Coordinates of all heavy atoms in Angstrom, one line a residue:
P1 N 6.7 -4.3 14.7 CA 6.8 -4.5 13.2 C 5.6 -5.0 12.6 O 5.4 -4.9 11.4 CB 8.0 -5.5 13.2 CG 7.9 -6.3 14.5 CD 7.4 -5.4 15.5
H2 N 4.7 -5.7 13.4 CA 3.5 -6.3 12.7 C 2.5 -6.7 13.8 O 2.3 -7.9 14.1 CB 3.9 -7.5 11.9 CG 5.0 -8.3 12.4 ND1 4.9 -9.0 13.6 CD2 6.2 -8.5 11.9 CE1 6.0 -9.7 13.8 NE2 6.8 -9.4 12.8
E3 N 1.7 -5.7 14.3 CA 0.6 -5.9 15.2 C -0.7 -6.0 14.5 O -1.2 -5.0 14.0 CB 0.5 -4.8 16.3 CG -0.6 -5.1 17.3 CD -0.7 -3.9 18.2 OE1 0.2 -2.9 18.3 OE2 -1.8 -3.7 18.8
V4 N -1.2 -7.2 14.3 CA -2.4 -7.4 13.5 C -3.6 -6.9 14.4 O -3.8 -7.5 15.5 CB -2.6 -8.8 13.1 CG1 -3.9 -9.1 12.3 CG2 -1.4 -9.3 12.1
L5 N -4.5 -6.1 13.7 CA -5.7 -5.6 14.4 C -6.8 -6.4 13.9 O -6.8 -7.0 12.8 CB -5.8 -4.1 14.2 CG -4.6 -3.3 14.7 CD1 -4.9 -1.8 14.3 CD2 -4.5 -3.4 16.2
P6 N -8.0 -6.3 14.5 CA -9.3 -6.9 13.9 C -9.6 -6.4 12.5 O -9.2 -5.2 12.3 CB -10.3 -6.5 14.9 CG -9.6 -6.2 16.2 CD -8.3 -5.7 15.8
P7 N -10.0 -7.2 11.6 CA -10.3 -6.7 10.3 C -11.2 -5.5 10.3 O -12.1 -5.4 11.2 CB -11.0 -7.9 9.6 CG -10.5 -9.0 10.4 CD -10.4 -8.6 11.8
L8 N -11.0 -4.6 9.4 CA -11.9 -3.4 9.3 C -13.1 -3.7 8.3 O -12.8 -3.9 7.1 CB -11.0 -2.1 8.8 CG -11.7 -0.9 8.7 CD1 -12.2 -0.4 10.1 CD2 -10.7 0.2 8.1
Q9 N -14.3 -3.7 8.9 CA -15.3 -4.0 8.1 C -15.7 -2.9 7.1 O -15.5 -1.8 7.4 CB -16.6 -4.3 9.0 CG -16.4 -5.5 9.9 CD -15.9 -6.8 9.2 OE1 -16.6 -7.2 8.2 NE2 -14.9 -7.4 9.7
I10 N -16.2 -3.2 5.9 CA -16.6 -2.2 4.9 C -18.1 -2.0 5.1 O -18.9 -3.0 5.1 CB -16.3 -2.8 3.5 CG1 -14.7 -3.2 3.4 CG2 -16.8 -1.9 2.4 CD1 -14.4 -3.9 2.1
P11 N -18.5 -0.7 5.3 CA -19.8 -0.4 5.4 C -20.7 -0.9 4.3 O -20.4 -1.0 3.1 CB -19.8 1.1 5.4 CG -18.5 1.6 5.8 CD -17.5 0.5 5.3
Q12 N -21.9 -1.4 4.6 CA -22.8 -2.0 3.7 C -23.1 -0.9 2.6 O -23.4 0.2 2.9 CB -24.1 -2.4 4.4 CG -25.1 -3.2 3.4 CD -26.2 -3.8 4.2 OE1 -26.4 -3.5 5.4 NE2 -27.1 -4.5 3.6
G13 N -23.2 -1.3 1.4 CA -23.6 -0.5 0.3 C -22.4 0.4 -0.3 O -22.7 1.1 -1.3
V14 N -21.2 0.2 0.2 CA -20.0 0.8 -0.5 C -19.0 -0.3 -0.8 O -19.1 -1.4 -0.4 CB -19.4 1.8 0.5 CG1 -20.3 3.0 0.7 CG2 -18.8 1.3 1.7
Q15 N -18.0 0.0 -1.6 CA -17.1 -1.0 -2.1 C -15.8 -0.3 -2.4 O -15.7 1.0 -2.6 CB -17.6 -1.6 -3.5 CG -17.9 -0.5 -4.6 CD -18.5 -1.0 -5.8 OE1 -18.4 -2.2 -6.1 NE2 -19.2 -0.2 -6.5
F16 N -14.7 -1.1 -2.3 CA -13.4 -0.7 -2.6 C -13.1 -1.4 -4.0 O -13.1 -2.7 -4.0 CB -12.3 -1.0 -1.6 CG -12.4 0.0 -0.4 CD1 -13.0 -0.5 0.8 CD2 -12.0 1.3 -0.4 CE1 -13.2 0.3 1.9 CE2 -12.1 2.1 0.6 CZ -12.6 1.6 1.9
L17 N -12.6 -0.7 -5.0 CA -12.2 -1.2 -6.2 C -10.8 -0.7 -6.6 O -10.3 0.3 -6.0 CB -13.2 -0.7 -7.3 CG -14.7 -0.9 -7.1 CD1 -15.4 0.0 -8.1 CD2 -15.1 -2.3 -7.3
G18 N -10.2 -1.5 -7.5 CA -8.9 -1.1 -8.0 C -9.0 -0.9 -9.5 O -9.6 -1.7 -10.2
I19 N -8.3 0.1 -10.0 CA -8.2 0.3 -11.5 C -6.7 0.4 -11.9 O -6.0 1.2 -11.4 CB -8.9 1.6 -11.9 CG1 -10.4 1.6 -11.5 CG2 -8.8 1.8 -13.4 CD1 -11.1 2.9 -11.8
N20 N -6.3 -0.6 -12.6 CA -5.0 -0.7 -13.1 C -4.7 0.3 -14.2 O -5.4 0.3 -15.2 CB -4.6 -2.1 -13.7 CG -3.3 -2.3 -14.0 OD1 -2.4 -1.4 -13.9 ND2 -3.0 -3.5 -14.7
S21 N -3.8 1.2 -14.0 CA -3.5 2.3 -14.9 C -2.7 1.8 -16.1 O -2.6 2.4 -17.1 CB -2.7 3.4 -14.2 OG -1.3 2.9 -13.9
H22 N -2.1 0.5 -16.0 CA -1.3 -0.1 -17.0 C 0.0 0.8 -17.2 O 0.7 0.7 -18.3 CB -2.0 -0.4 -18.3 CG -2.7 -1.7 -18.3 ND1 -1.9 -2.8 -18.4 CD2 -4.0 -2.1 -18.4 CE1 -2.8 -3.9 -18.3 NE2 -3.9 -3.4 -18.3
V23 N 0.4 1.4 -16.2 CA 1.8 2.1 -16.1 C 2.4 1.1 -15.1 O 2.2 1.2 -13.9 CB 1.7 3.5 -15.6 CG1 3.2 4.0 -15.4 CG2 1.0 4.3 -16.6
K24 N 3.4 0.4 -15.5 CA 4.1 -0.6 -14.7 C 4.9 0.0 -13.5 O 5.6 1.1 -13.7 CB 5.0 -1.5 -15.5 CG 4.1 -2.5 -16.3 CD 5.0 -3.7 -16.7 CE 4.1 -4.8 -17.2 NZ 4.9 -6.1 -17.6
H25 N 4.8 -0.6 -12.4 CA 5.6 -0.1 -11.2 C 6.4 -1.2 -10.7 O 6.1 -2.4 -11.1 CB 4.6 0.4 -10.1 CG 4.6 -0.4 -8.9 ND1 5.2 0.1 -7.7 CD2 4.3 -1.7 -8.6 CE1 5.1 -0.9 -6.8 NE2 4.5 -2.0 -7.3
S26 N 7.5 -0.9 -10.0 CA 8.3 -1.9 -9.4 C 8.8 -1.5 -8.1 O 9.4 -0.4 -7.9 CB 9.5 -2.2 -10.3 OG 10.4 -3.1 -9.7
V27 N 8.7 -2.4 -7.1 CA 9.2 -2.0 -5.7 C 10.7 -2.0 -5.7 O 11.3 -1.4 -4.9 CB 8.7 -3.1 -4.7 CG1 9.4 -3.0 -3.4 CG2 7.2 -2.9 -4.4
A28 N 11.3 -2.7 -6.7 CA 12.8 -2.7 -6.7 C 13.4 -1.5 -7.4 O 14.5 -1.3 -7.5 CB 13.2 -4.0 -7.5
A29 N 12.4 -0.7 -8.0 CA 12.8 0.6 -8.8 C 13.6 1.6 -7.8 O 13.4 1.7 -6.6 CB 11.6 1.2 -9.4
S30 N 14.3 2.4 -8.5 CA 15.2 3.3 -7.8 C 14.4 4.4 -7.0 O 14.8 4.8 -5.8 CB 16.1 4.0 -8.8 OG 15.5 4.7 -9.8
A31 N 13.3 4.9 -7.6 CA 12.5 5.9 -6.9 C 12.0 5.4 -5.6 O 12.0 6.1 -4.5 CB 11.5 6.4 -7.8
Y32 N 11.4 4.2 -5.5 CA 10.9 3.7 -4.3 C 12.0 3.4 -3.3 O 11.9 3.8 -2.1 CB 10.2 2.3 -4.6 CG 9.8 1.5 -3.4 CD1 8.5 1.6 -3.0 CD2 10.7 0.7 -2.7 CE1 8.1 1.0 -1.8 CE2 10.2 0.0 -1.5 CZ 9.0 0.1 -1.1 OH 8.6 -0.5 0.0
T33 N 13.2 2.9 -3.7 CA 14.3 2.7 -2.8 C 14.8 4.1 -2.3 O 15.1 4.1 -1.0 CB 15.4 1.9 -3.6 OG1 14.8 0.7 -4.0 CG2 16.5 1.6 -2.6
A34 N 14.9 5.0 -3.1 CA 15.4 6.3 -2.6 C 14.5 6.9 -1.7 O 15.0 7.6 -0.6 CB 15.6 7.3 -3.8
T35 N 13.2 6.9 -1.9 CA 12.2 7.4 -0.9 C 12.3 6.7 0.5 O 12.3 7.3 1.5 CB 10.8 7.4 -1.5 OG1 10.7 8.2 -2.6 CG2 9.8 7.9 -0.5
R36 N 12.4 5.4 0.4 CA 12.5 4.6 1.7 C 13.8 5.0 2.4 O 13.7 5.3 3.6 CB 12.5 3.2 1.3 CG 12.7 2.3 2.5 CD 12.5 0.8 2.3 NE 12.9 0.1 3.6 CZ 12.3 -1.1 4.0 NH1 11.3 -1.6 3.3 NH2 12.7 -1.7 5.0
C37 N 14.9 5.1 1.6 CA 16.1 5.4 2.3 C 16.1 6.8 2.9 O 16.5 7.0 4.0 CB 17.3 5.3 1.2 SG 18.9 5.3 2.0
A38 N 15.4 7.8 2.2 CA 15.4 9.2 2.7 C 14.5 9.2 4.0 O 14.8 10.0 4.9 CB 14.7 10.0 1.6
A39 N 13.5 8.4 4.1 CA 12.7 8.4 5.3 C 13.5 7.9 6.5 O 13.3 8.5 7.6 CB 11.5 7.4 5.1
F40 N 14.3 6.9 6.3 CA 15.2 6.4 7.4 C 16.3 7.4 7.7 O 16.6 7.5 8.9 CB 15.7 5.0 7.1 CG 14.7 4.0 7.4 CD1 13.9 3.4 6.3 CD2 14.4 3.5 8.6 CE1 13.0 2.4 6.5 CE2 13.5 2.4 8.8 CZ 12.7 2.0 7.8
M41 N 16.7 8.1 6.7 CA 17.6 9.2 7.0 C 17.0 10.3 7.8 O 17.7 10.9 8.7 CB 18.2 9.7 5.6 CG 19.1 8.7 4.9 SD 19.3 9.1 3.1 CE 20.5 10.5 3.2
A42 N 15.9 10.7 7.5 CA 15.1 11.7 8.2 C 15.0 11.2 9.7 O 15.1 12.0 10.7 CB 13.7 11.9 7.6

């Protein structure tokens, strides 16, 4: 359920960024829950 691996180093000269779309999401939302449930059904 949670095997922690050594951190993955980021190559020099590159970066990871995040851009917030300002479309709100929720883990409690029905689409997320339905997809999760469907995966376990599969």
Side-chain angles (χ1 to χ4, degrees):
H2 36 65
E3 179 188 346
V4 177
L5 302 175
L8 187 59
Q9 299 304 313
I10 301 172
Q12 187 174 4
V14 298
Q15 58 187 333
F16 287 103
L17 307 166
I19 301 174
N20 182 6
S21 68
H22 270 293
V23 176
K24 284 200 171 184
H25 115 110
S26 171
V27 167
S30 59
Y32 174 94
T33 304
T35 297
R36 174 171 177 148
C37 196
F40 281 96
M41 293 163 76

